[in-house]
């Protein structure tokens, strides 16, 4: 079975703090894709990153960085120097053949960044 | 990049009426679209997979007679909530695949529809 676990339900930080959102996944696939999405209060899903299971390189995009550890089945997301505009719900997701290529979402982590 | 347009963004309807939500792929052909439902402060739950020209595949526990999905063309899928009741109030969001299965394709999401049944 495919499963995505985001153990942190809510995180509250003060602006300029760094924050890491955890994501642990389960799959029997050898080829799969991992995603992070941001959902601001307006509701739309904003795509942040897609990672192929064969690519374990960490990625940095501005204040965002991702740490993919296949050995621990984790795909953590770090926001550096957080800003109020980062306040949103963040979803980690998984897609692969074992799940019929359906995107399976984690429960989401609600991030509050206070000024 | 690929864009999926979803309408309406918000709809309020009376209990017992039906509501249609449209999901259009604007610059690509989407043979497969997915419909999700999201209750407040919860995750996105897949309702059904919509394939162009064939019947939708519903996830366990989703009433296919209540949530009618039509994918008549490569650019349009519709979700009709029939005889809506207050418990159907939710955020509905569609997603379209913009590439061939198994390839390094992307999935593009619509902006969602907030349905309130009064």
């Amino acid at each position: 079975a495919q499963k995505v676990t985001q153990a942190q339900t809510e995180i509250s930080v003060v602006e300029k703090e760094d924050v890491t959102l955890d994501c642990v996944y389960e799959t029997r696939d050898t080829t799969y894709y991992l995603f992070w999405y941001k959902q601001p209060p307006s509701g739309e899903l904003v795509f942040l990153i897609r990672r192929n299971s064969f690519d374990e390189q960490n990625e940095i995009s501005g204040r965002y960085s991702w740490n993919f550890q296949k050995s621990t089945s984790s795909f953590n997301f770090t926001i550096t120097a957080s800003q109020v505009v980062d306040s949103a719900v963040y979803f980690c997701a998984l897609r692969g053949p074992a799940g019929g290529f359906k995107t399976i979402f984690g429960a989401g982590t609600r991030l509050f960044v206070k000024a | 990049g690929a864009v999926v347009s979803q309408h309406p963004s918000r709809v309020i309807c009376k209990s017992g009426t039906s509501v249609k939500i449209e999901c259009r792929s604007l610059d690509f052909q989407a043979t497969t679209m997915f419909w999700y439902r999201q209750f407040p402060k919860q995750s996105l739950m897949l309702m059904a997979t919509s394939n162009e020209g064939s019947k939708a595949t519903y996830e366990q526990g989703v009433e296919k007679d209540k949530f009618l999905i039509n994918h008549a063309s490569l650019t349009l899928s519709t979700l009709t909530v029939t005889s809506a009741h207050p418990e159907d109030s939710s955020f509905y969001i569609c997603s379209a695949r913009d590439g061939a299965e198994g390839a390094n394709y992307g999935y593009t999401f619509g902006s969602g529809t907030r349905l309130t049944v009064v």
Side-chain angles (χ1 to χ4, degrees):
Chain A
Q2 296 199 320
K3 186 179 178 182
V4 177
T5 301
Q6 293 179 258
Q8 304 150 307
T9 305
E10 289 187 0
I11 300 176
S12 185
V13 299
V14 177
E15 215 171 15
K16 298 184 183 177
E17 283 186 16
D18 298 347
V19 58
T20 295
L21 310 181
D22 298 333
C23 173
V24 175
Y25 62 93
E26 295 176 30
T27 181
R28 64 172 186 267
D29 289 328
T30 53
T31 301
Y32 51 88
Y33 296 93
L34 295 164
F35 304 80
W36 275 96
Y37 291 91
K38 174 182 180 181
Q39 187 178 43
S42 53
E44 77 274 19
L45 276 182
V46 178
F47 167 81
L48 296 178
I49 190 171
R50 176 178 66 221
R51 173 61 74 224
N52 182 310
S53 56
F54 290 108
D55 181 3
E56 286 194 70
Q57 273 193 325
N58 291 328
E59 182 158 338
I60 297 175
S61 177
R63 296 186 295 109
Y64 295 169
S65 62
W66 291 269
N67 185 344
F68 178 27
Q69 297 278 343
K70 210 168 177 179
S71 59
T72 55
S73 297
S74 66
F75 187 42
N76 296 338
F77 172 33
T78 298
I79 302 175
T80 304
S82 59
Q83 300 175 0
V84 173
V85 294
D86 296 327
S87 297
V89 181
Y90 291 86
F91 290 99
C92 180
L94 166 70
R95 188 171 76 234
F101 289 101
K102 302 168 188 175
T103 304
I104 307 299
F105 287 86
T109 296
R110 188 173 297 271
L111 175 65
F112 295 98
V113 181
K114 296 178 283 189
Chain B
V3 176
V4 171
S5 174
Q6 185 173 345
H7 293 281
S9 57
R10 289 180 179 272
V11 58
I12 300 173
C13 71
K14 290 185 178 179
S15 190
T17 61
S18 295
V19 173
K20 180 184 282 188
I21 302 170
E22 292 189 350
C23 183
R24 292 181 184 273
S25 57
L26 294 188
D27 48 3
F28 66 99
Q29 293 184 333
T31 54
T32 302
M33 290 188 177
F34 300 87
W35 287 94
Y36 292 84
R37 178 167 60 184
Q38 184 183 30
F39 290 110
K41 296 192 176 183
Q42 294 190 23
S43 188
L44 285 81
M45 299 303 296
L46 181 65
M47 298 175 65
T49 303
S50 165
N51 295 300
E52 186 268 336
S54 63
K55 290 183 178 180
T57 303
Y58 290 82
E59 296 299 301
Q60 195 171 12
V62 177
E63 299 175 61
K64 59 183 178 183
D65 293 331
K66 181 167 189 61
F67 299 100
L68 301 179
I69 292 173
N70 185 287
H71 194 157
S73 78
L74 287 171
T75 59
L76 174 65
S77 176
T78 61
L79 166 67
T80 302
V81 183
T82 62
S83 187
H85 290 285
E87 56 266 30
D88 298 323
S89 298
S90 187
F91 187 67
Y92 294 87
I93 191 165
C94 66
S95 170
R97 192 179 71 216
D98 59 17
E101 192 69 71
N104 189 20
Y105 53 86
Y107 271 51
T108 304
F109 284 84
S111 54
T113 298
R114 195 165 300 281
L115 170 63
T116 304
V117 185
V118 298

